[in-house]
Amino acid sequence: MARTLEQWLEYQQQVHPRSIDMGLERVGAVARRLGIGKPGRRVVTVGGTNGKGSTVAFLEAIARAAGLRTGAYTSPHLLRYNERVRIDGKPVDDAALVQAFERIEAARGDTPLTFFEYGTLAALLLFEQAGLDLAILEVGLGGRLDATNIVDPDCAVITTVDLDHQDYLGPDRESIGAEKAGILRAGKPCVLGEKDPPSSVLRRAYAIGAFAIRGHSDYLIDPLEAGWRWREPGYAIELPDPAMPAPAQRENAAAAIAALRALDLPVPDEAIRAGVAGARAPGRLQVLPGTPERVLDVAHNPQGAGQLARWLELHPKPTVAVFSALGDKDLGGICAPLAPWLRAWHLGPITDAGPRGLAVDELARRLAEHLPAEILHPHRSLADALAAATRAAGPGGRVLVFGSFHTVAAAMAAG
């Protein structure tokens, strides 16, 4: 009997004994058996610690405004798995994903694949069939050994490099940067979005002959009274502010513009302006309707928390948090920048992340090492935490939901 999409997703979590098994040998072997070729006429791979999903959204929105046929692969999803694979801005349907999974299953033999590897191969199959002008692939974990790295991109983007997933990527920015720089290719452009990338990224680019295009150096971001200007030698364009309000979104949009220009795609100025103004990525300082103000953000590491703190400083309002995080996160690094701006933390458990999830009592115990115990309020579920925080904030206050994609998804599901 044919499996439904939900049955396929449940099955995939049982095929490999580990949820994360970094390396290209297994997924590459299955890709060769499937005969997977280039997923689009041009391919951009987007890696980095934070800003990947937003940069993909800018690339997709600008390219679509230019009339290009696009595919975007992102992870994780918030409400539906189909969000991970978009063609011309629309999530693919269940039937297309099921058909791709059936092909993968027939080809893999006894080769075990992780959940993410199944999804990556399915996206590549669907993109190749779709006749794309531009395929945009968001790297999952790291870069060098991530399943997306079986594809040779025409341009690679590294948004930022900071501390996250140290158990897999190394203890500091230099070692993490070396892993992320694995997506660079010899003789191809690579956009480095942050002002001061780790030297390991630059060394890799120079060693293999990748053409590094550095933010705030090879292209500039000039603030204007209304909006901003993207500028490089011989070209400049004045732009509206992105609809996504985080302080880093100009940098993400700028990196996307640099990548599209490096690919020499037919993208007129009008498309760049429309794409910058129209790009959306759910869960990035997303404001839900109603009172009190409810803001969702997927910030889940110290760098993301710092960006969130900058936004709270620029938009002062009495704020209470709904928070949960996975067990391998740096809770101290997340708490430090945000503590001055949050008067209470309502906590809930993450129950759909397997062994990485934290029981709420353990989360509260760990947070009490960094925050006063009297402002920590554990609840049986994230829905209960959201309801309590909403009451505590009152009509004139703000509820900030953050800490994980799982946390934001629970708030979205609760309405």
Side-chain angles (χ1 to χ4, degrees):
M1 180 179 293
R3 293 186 178 101
T4 65
L5 176 58
E6 289 304 318
Q7 289 169 333
W8 269 111
L9 299 179
E10 183 178 353
Y11 167 75
Q12 289 167 18
Q13 297 181 63
Q14 303 166 8
V15 170
H16 197 290
R18 295 164 58 187
S19 60
I20 299 173
D21 187 7
M22 297 171 67
L24 304 184
E25 183 177 347
R26 291 172 299 98
V27 68
V30 178
R32 287 189 292 273
R33 291 175 210 155
L34 287 163
I36 290 177
K38 194 171 183 180
R41 188 166 59 90
R42 295 283 189 275
V43 180
V44 178
T45 303
V46 182
T49 301
N50 292 301
K52 293 180 294 184
S54 297
T55 301
V56 169
F58 285 116
L59 283 162
E60 184 181 21
I62 295 169
R64 292 191 65 225
L68 300 175
R69 184 163 171 79
T70 64
Y73 174 56
T74 60
S75 63
H77 62 279
L78 285 167
L79 298 180
R80 295 179 66 231
Y81 183 90
N82 312 58
E83 298 167 22
R84 296 178 178 230
V85 186
R86 299 188 298 276
I87 294 175
D88 277 342
K90 297 179 181 178
V92 299
D93 60 27
D94 289 11
L97 285 164
V98 165
Q99 186 179 50
F101 290 146
E102 289 171 347
R103 288 185 60 189
I104 294 164
E105 187 68 7
R108 77 172 181 87
D110 60 357
T111 302
L113 295 174
T114 65
F115 184 84
F116 182 76
E117 289 165 347
Y118 269 103
T120 302
L121 291 170
L124 296 178
L125 282 171
L126 293 169
F127 287 172
E128 187 178 9
Q129 294 168 7
L132 302 179
D133 297 306
L134 178 65
I136 310 162
L137 308 177
E138 180 186 346
V139 175
L141 180 61
R144 181 176 64 93
L145 299 177
D146 186 79
T148 57
N149 206 32
I150 63 173
V151 177
D152 288 326
D154 298 292
C155 178
V157 178
I158 297 178
T159 54
T160 63
V161 177
D162 208 80
L163 301 182
D164 203 4
H165 301 293
Q166 289 101 308
D167 288 348
Y168 294 97
L169 305 181
D172 51 40
R173 284 185 80 230
E174 290 298 325
S175 54
I176 294 170
E179 290 297 319
K180 294 190 182 296
I183 68 173
L184 309 187
R185 293 296 188 270
K188 300 291 185 180
C190 60
V191 176
L192 310 179
E194 62 185 328
K195 191 172 186 176
D196 186 23
S199 58
S200 58
V201 175
L202 298 171
R203 282 198 302 269
R204 177 64 178 171
Y206 300 148
I208 67 173
F211 174 41
I213 303 169
R214 297 181 59 178
H216 303 279
S217 178
D218 296 302
Y219 63 87
L220 301 178
I221 302 168
D222 300 327
L224 303 174
E225 284 190 15
W228 57 293
R229 180 190 296 113
W230 191 98
R231 177 164 57 94
E232 68 179 0
Y235 174 77
I237 181 173
E238 294 188 5
L239 296 162
D241 274 322
M244 293 185 285
Q249 295 299 2
R250 284 184 182 178
E251 279 76 10
N252 294 331
I257 294 167
L260 290 168
R261 287 185 60 78
L263 291 173
D264 197 25
L265 287 168
V267 179
D269 287 1
E270 293 79 7
I272 297 176
R273 293 190 184 97
V276 167
R280 300 287 193 282
R284 278 71 170 183
L285 283 172
Q286 179 181 354
V287 180
L288 298 181
T291 56
E293 180 180 88
R294 290 178 296 165
V295 180
L296 313 180
D297 196 86
V298 295
H300 56 274
N301 54 42
Q303 186 184 55
Q307 284 287 318
L308 197 48
R310 282 181 59 198
W311 183 83
L312 290 169
E313 182 179 8
L314 293 170
H315 301 84
K317 181 182 284 191
T319 302
V320 298
V322 173
F323 178 78
S324 195
L326 297 174
D328 55 1
K329 295 303 176 183
D330 177 3
L331 295 182
I334 292 171
C335 291
L338 287 167
W341 310 106
L342 301 174
R343 61 183 186 178
W345 296 59
H346 290 266
L347 313 176
I350 291 176
T351 59
D352 57 348
R356 296 179 71 203
L358 270 183
V360 69
D361 290 342
E362 175 63 12
L363 175 64
R365 185 193 68 77
R366 294 190 192 183
L367 284 174
E369 299 175 5
H370 310 286
L371 296 168
E374 60 268 19
I375 68 171
L376 301 176
H377 306 283
H379 300 274
R380 291 178 301 175
S381 69
L382 282 165
D384 288 348
L386 181 62
T390 300
R391 292 191 296 270
R398 175 192 291 136
V399 176
L400 173 65
V401 181
F402 77 103
S404 168
F405 278 82
H406 300 273
T407 314
V408 168
M412 287 180 167

